[in-house]
Amino acid sequence: MISPELNFNLFSSDLSLYLKNQVKVELFGSGVGLSLVLGFSAAYACYYLISVAKKPILIAGGKKFHQFLRDQCPVVSETYYPTFWCWESRVQTLLRPFVTAKPWVSYRNELIRAPDGGQISLDWFDNDDSMSHPDQSTRPTVLLLPGLTGTSRESYILHMVQQSRDMGYRCVVFNNRGVSGEKLLTPRTYCAANTEDLEMVIEHVQRTIDKAPLMAAGVSMGGMMLANYVGRKGSDVRLKGVVVFSAGWDVFECTASLEKPLDRFLFNSYLTSCLQASVDRHRTVLEKKYDIDHVMKAKTIREFDERFTSIMFGYPSNEDYYRDASPIHNIKSVQVPMLCLNAADDVFSPNHAIPVDAVKQNPNVALLITCHGGHIGFLEGLWPRQSTYMDRVFQQFTKAVFENGSGLNDLH
């Protein structure tokens, strides 16, 4: 680990050299401007190292899980250094899709039928070139769940596939109904509260590769759905482990946060339009049961859910839907090792709604909270094109589950 003092010295010397060589202005030539810039830079560096770069908080319901994470996942004990020029939560959230690279991944697509006649698209990365696990029948497999309108082509999913490939593992991405280009065959989409499709997918994957160990990772809404699933299934879950990133734990608090003026402008309106675009794409199927014109007039996610999602899944009210969709109510029932990563400054999942007390009551659950990182941001490094802090958490925890999973037996 590089010390803060060394970081500061390197930063100051590099900046000084750059200004002397590149900036040709009389003010700087006099030394006054250079001193001002270096003074400001030194002050900013001090602020960054003291107030921004911090170690995450690790909370676990049991000592055994806590110690397992410290031993097997060094990232949980290391200082997280957010990218120094974009550590603010909204900036991290907005920039991540644009600055992070998208590794090339070749998937094998599989469409499976649901009992109601609908179809679900699964994208498999078989990793047949795996050197560490050449036997495809026993190759460890990671089920990945993207966010609200995400697919297997999201940069954060592609990075997890890439890291799984490097470790010799197989991946399968669960695309929610109608989001990845396939036709919607029935007037039903998806939501965080309904885990029927996820349960069917897990059963299908386990039947297909019945000898291979399986774990799951969910991001944002995918993490909410996954947390709800493992909480409701309890001891019936056959997953080796679960990792959840940037989940919204209390949907009431999430929507309230996103309805604040700035966050409504930056995020809420955009996400609402994305949801509406998906609905409009399948209008011919959906308009047989729902007032799509009314749905298309929604201005916020809450209005969209009131006019569409809660009605589709048969809830008496939107409040009933939001209560059922909130994973905070299911944490106490989780019986599989589950690590959850959240940023304290995530406007999608506000800090006061992170279920610290509930996690402390369950020895199977651990919570990792960074001071900064935004929503699925966690950018680090000078130019964060490649892996993020979230990717490192995924890589280390996944390897720990598959290679040292015996340490997770009997966490009580």
Side-chain angles (χ1 to χ4, degrees):
M1 179 62 61
I2 299 175
S3 69
E5 293 78 12
L6 182 57
N7 274 341
F8 172 70
N9 291 334
L10 289 173
F11 177 81
S12 299
S13 62
D14 288 347
L15 181 60
S16 177
L17 182 62
Y18 172 83
L19 290 171
K20 288 178 180 178
N21 292 337
Q22 301 295 329
V23 183
K24 309 295 184 181
V25 181
E26 290 184 3
L27 181 61
F28 284 96
S30 68
V32 176
L34 180 60
S35 297
L36 288 173
V37 171
L38 287 176
F40 173 80
S41 301
Y44 182 82
C46 288
Y47 175 78
Y48 174 87
L49 294 172
I50 294 172
S51 301
V52 178
K54 294 181 178 294
K55 289 186 177 182
I57 298 172
L58 177 62
I59 301 163
K63 292 181 179 179
K64 188 173 182 179
F65 197 11
H66 190 279
Q67 192 60 49
F68 175 87
L69 291 170
R70 286 196 171 276
D71 292 342
Q72 302 297 330
C73 306
V75 68
V76 306
S77 304
E78 296 173 355
T79 299
Y80 166 47
Y81 292 93
T83 298
F84 79 94
W85 52 269
C86 67
W87 51 264
E88 197 275 333
S89 102
R90 295 172 184 84
V91 178
Q92 284 238 348
T93 304
L94 290 169
L95 285 185
R96 182 205 51 79
F98 300 102
V99 301
T100 53
K102 285 192 172 184
W104 184 84
V105 173
S106 178
Y107 290 114
R108 171 176 61 86
N109 183 256
E110 179 185 19
L111 293 174
I112 61 175
R113 284 297 182 96
D116 70 336
Q119 63 179 352
I120 299 170
S121 174
L122 301 180
D123 282 322
W124 292 79
F125 176 74
D126 295 305
N127 202 9
D128 288 332
D129 295 328
S130 173
M131 299 294 289
S132 55
H133 300 279
D135 185 351
Q136 62 86 24
S137 66
T138 58
R139 186 174 302 141
T141 303
V142 187
L143 174 65
L144 302 174
L145 284 70
L148 184 60
T149 57
T151 70
S152 60
R153 293 297 172 183
E154 301 300 322
S155 61
Y156 56 83
I157 293 292
L158 294 172
H159 277 276
M160 286 192 278
V161 173
Q162 182 186 51
Q163 297 211 337
S164 299
R165 178 199 64 198
D166 293 344
M167 293 185 287
Y169 307 149
R170 169 173 43 210
C171 287
V172 54
V173 184
F174 166 36
N175 299 293
N176 287 301
R177 297 193 192 198
V179 301
S180 63
E182 79 282 7
K183 289 184 178 181
L184 199 65
L185 302 182
T186 59
R188 170 178 163 170
T189 56
Y190 58 91
C191 73
N194 189 282
T195 59
E196 293 174 356
D197 284 355
L198 175 58
E199 182 172 356
M200 185 190 72
V201 165
I202 290 176
E203 291 175 354
H204 171 77
V205 171
Q206 288 176 329
R207 284 196 306 270
T208 304
I209 49 171
D210 60 324
K211 295 180 181 179
L214 177 67
M215 68 169 289
V219 181
S220 191
M221 193 215 72
M224 296 166 65
M225 184 186 294
L226 182 57
N228 281 328
Y229 166 77
V230 295
R232 291 168 185 169
K233 295 292 289 185
S235 59
D236 291 336
V237 175
R238 292 170 54 197
L239 300 171
K240 296 293 184 182
V242 168
V243 60
V244 170
F245 301 108
S246 295
W249 294 102
D250 186 325
V251 182
F252 292 101
E253 297 296 334
C254 296
T255 52
S257 178
L258 287 171
E259 286 170 356
K260 294 178 180 178
L262 179 58
D263 298 322
R264 176 170 174 165
F265 171 75
L266 291 175
F267 307 112
N268 203 326
S269 298
Y270 172 73
L271 285 175
T272 303
S273 66
C274 289
L275 290 167
Q276 290 170 324
S278 181
V279 168
D280 195 49
R281 191 161 55 246
H282 302 289
R283 178 184 282 264
T284 55
V285 175
L286 295 171
E287 64 184 0
K288 297 174 184 178
K289 289 191 65 175
Y290 310 105
D291 186 350
I292 302 303
D293 289 335
H294 187 53
V295 173
M296 297 301 290
K297 294 177 183 177
K299 301 298 183 184
T300 64
I301 294 175
R302 187 193 299 269
E303 289 182 0
F304 178 88
D305 289 333
E306 288 172 346
R307 302 177 185 195
F308 185 72
T309 315
S310 60
I311 296 173
M312 172 176 287
F313 290 94
Y315 288 96
S317 69
N318 197 55
E319 287 71 25
D320 291 293
Y321 162 52
Y322 278 4
R323 191 173 298 107
D324 200 30
S326 300
I328 191 172
H329 304 300
N330 292 307
I331 288 179
K332 62 182 182 297
S333 304
V334 173
Q335 297 294 312
V336 61
M338 181 170 78
L339 174 62
C340 312
L341 173 65
N342 280 87
D345 63 354
D346 184 352
V347 298
F348 285 69
S349 184
N351 187 36
H352 65 268
I354 297 176
V356 172
D357 291 336
V359 168
K360 290 179 178 179
Q361 304 303 313
N362 189 334
N364 298 291
V365 183
L367 183 60
L368 189 64
I369 305 175
T370 58
C371 187
H372 298 282
H375 188 71
I376 328 176
F378 302 103
L379 301 177
E380 60 183 358
L382 181 62
W383 184 242
R385 289 284 292 164
Q386 302 305 319
S387 65
T388 66
Y389 181 84
M390 184 179 96
D391 296 325
R392 291 198 289 133
V393 172
F394 169 80
Q395 185 269 336
Q396 292 183 18
F397 184 68
T398 300
K399 184 176 182 179
V401 169
F402 285 140
E403 309 297 336
N404 300 287
S406 59
L408 294 171
N409 295 334
D410 190 22
L411 290 177
H412 292 274

